[in-house]
Amino acid sequence: MGRPRTPLLDRERITSTALQLVDETGDFSVPQIARRLGVQTGSVYHHVDGRDGIVELLRERVCEAIDPGTLELTPWDTAVQAWARSYRAAFAAHPRTIPLLMTSPVRAPRVLEQYERAVSLLLDAGFDRAGIMPLIIALENLVLGSALDLAAPETMWELTDRIATPHLAQALAAVGEGRADRAFEVGLAAFLNHARALLKHAGR
């Protein structure tokens, strides 16, 4: 019997299967991937560095959707704003990966390269070196929290007759559609205003 024209197993198929499992259930295991692909569990380990290696492949796959060109824009705040929106969209497409990736150290080379570009952007803009990672982490908290919010029901507050909440009811009625998008824009504007103030202070 000749070899199949399409390989039964490679890193791309392993990554796609793991992402499918995470999108469906919020997690994955190597045996689950093997069963989906119709191979032995040991065969998967021939192509990846265990579960941690698959997590980093997932990180690279999701982050491929973040437009790296946004970090080339000028001025710096235009670049950060565009990067944040692209970052949010990438993870909003796969929100169940967020808890998995946020609790694992970043090792994927292509993702580290993007962080390097973000740090370089802020350094070139004149930000204090010691304050750059807190800024990036704060922006990530906003972006990833908002990506999760996009996956939540539009109505997150269910009012009840057991307690009077007239002001809450009026505020909810007034917000209209696009609650998550509007909240993200509020947070992003506040972040950028704070960052501009830090930069102004650093330039004194």
Side-chain angles (χ1 to χ4, degrees), residues 100-114:
L100 185 66
L101 299 181
M102 287 296 289
T103 54
S104 174
V106 180
R107 301 186 184 93
R110 282 184 289 182
V111 179
L112 290 171
E113 182 182 10
Q114 195 162 142

Side-chain angles (χ1 to χ4, degrees), residues 102 115 132-144 191:
M102 287 296 289
Y115 279 103
I132 287 177
M133 287 314 297
L135 275 175
I136 290 176
I137 293 167
L139 182 62
E140 284 191 314
N141 289 343
L142 169 64
V143 164
L144 296 175
F191 170 85

